[in-house]
Amino acid sequence: MKVVVVGASHGGHEAAHEALTRYPDAQVTVYEAGDFVSFMSCGMELFLEDKVTNRDDVRNFKPADLEKFGGKVLTQHEVTGIDTDAKKVTVKNWATGEVLEDSYDKLILSSGVMPATIPVPGADLDNVYLMRGRDWATKIYDKLHDDAVSSVVVVGTGYIGIEAAEVFAKAGKQVTVIDLIDRPLGNYLDAELAEKVRVELEKNGVNLHLGHTVAAFEGDGTLAKVKDDAGQVFDADLAIVAAGVKPNTKYLQGTIDLDQRGWIKTDPYLRTSAEDVYAIGDAILPLFAPAGQPAPIALASTARREARYVIETMTMDKPARSFAGVNGSSALPVFDYNLATTGVNANNAAKMNLEIASSLYEATIRPEFVKEGNPEISVKLIFNPKTHAILGGQVLSKAEVTAHANTIALAIKGKMTLEDLAEADFFFQPGYDRQWSVLNLAAQTALGQIPSV
């Protein structure tokens, strides 16, 4: 069996590794358009802050990791077209200019996404940067350590934008964040928890200019100022645009079915419109399990789960099970806070027309008599108001509590209700937790009970 994988990031790596180890006789080739395999963008903050063993170590894998199993990894090789009838791909070798063809029995598309740009005047000025991939990370690292850069404007309050704001604020730069949304991390956190993040950002010198969009980047060849939609102008030696992503699927047009925004269409088995062609990773809309609907979930963990499923089932005419979907679980540090979220929240529920209810529980992590290392924790639960099925959750604390989101994710997958979680059997030791775990107490609060702490 000859397997060709397009793209060497999380999904491509997982697909190749699974194919090589599950099917020892398989011939597996990974084509990667870039010259570096394979930068881990979710480790960019650690990369920028020199909190890694080596800057070249911030990667998913090295080619040798697959080559030892007999795989081939070809960098600077971009797949530019597919002949689904002949089962061939056309590949451009950017190092030599050569164009070649390769055949496949199974083709796995993991070409991912590209950072979205803002279509406003001045977007092509020098020092207007994007924040994705190793090349941009290296450029941003240089600016972070450039004394000539004193004012930075970040466009976007998602994870990437907040990471950029924190890194430059810690470096002593004047940082302004602009976004149309009215609260930081508003796509991930409900208002109560987002408000705590807002206070934390502003306490650390980050200026949040929300409810506005960028109208123009201004400067004579090089960025000098950023203007918003109300005409307000901000000094800027550097702008970092973290305004979302778009699927990297132009090369598939007319060959593989795409939706109106360019996302690859897949069936419940992650098969595309072409026979023996599968798609995984950020360029598809996987099943968002808590909502029962497809949604864009650009996470490394999602891509790896999809890849594992595809390799397990691609030799079956009709798989026994469809892809189970994902919860979209993620986590992020913001200065002294640690936050994690999983499943449905107020923002995505509104977009998907889901009927939800929610409850917020706040207390100290441990019994009140514990005087040190006992910060507050906020736990937000989202649930079905009729069945009490748990649909999502968010946790926030200055302690390391992000693993609680994994427990909530398991509760979602196990179709647990508030009643189940309210009595779930967790350990108790006052140095770690309360007699009722904070998750027990959050569920009891959601049920309208007065918890016995």
Side-chain angles (χ1 to χ4, degrees), residues 161-280:
I162 295 302
E163 284 182 332
E166 179 173 349
V167 166
F168 278 93
K170 286 179 176 177
K173 315 294 185 182
Q174 179 182 336
V175 179
T176 297
V177 180
I178 301 175
D179 201 336
L180 182 60
I181 199 166
D182 63 355
R183 62 184 186 271
L185 299 173
N187 289 329
Y188 305 93
L189 297 178
D190 290 358
E192 305 97 326
L193 278 67
E195 174 62 16
K196 294 179 183 291
V197 172
R198 180 192 67 78
V199 171
E200 182 74 3
L201 289 166
E202 292 180 342
K203 184 183 78 173
N204 284 277
V206 177
N207 173 35
L208 294 173
H209 187 64
L210 306 181
H212 293 278
T213 59
V214 171
F217 299 102
E218 299 180 339
D220 185 11
T222 300
L223 178 70
K225 298 181 182 296
V226 177
K227 181 187 290 185
D228 78 353
D229 53 358
Q232 188 169 348
V233 177
F234 300 88
D235 290 336
D237 302 307
L238 175 70
I240 296 178
V241 177
V245 295
K246 55 185 179 181
N248 182 25
T249 56
K250 188 174 181 180
Y251 73 104
L252 299 174
Q253 291 177 355
T255 304
I256 302 293
D257 287 351
L258 310 174
D259 73 6
Q260 67 275 14
R261 297 184 61 190
W263 303 102
I264 302 172
K265 291 184 177 181
T266 59
D267 69 7
Y269 308 100
L270 303 183
R271 301 177 297 198
T272 71
S273 57
E275 184 178 3
D276 292 321
V277 180
Y278 304 80
I280 59 176

Side-chain angles (χ1 to χ4, degrees), residues 103 130 151 196 198 213 230 245 423 435 443:
S103 62
L130 303 174
S151 299
K196 294 179 183 291
R198 180 192 67 78
T213 59
V245 295
E423 297 182 1
Q435 294 179 55

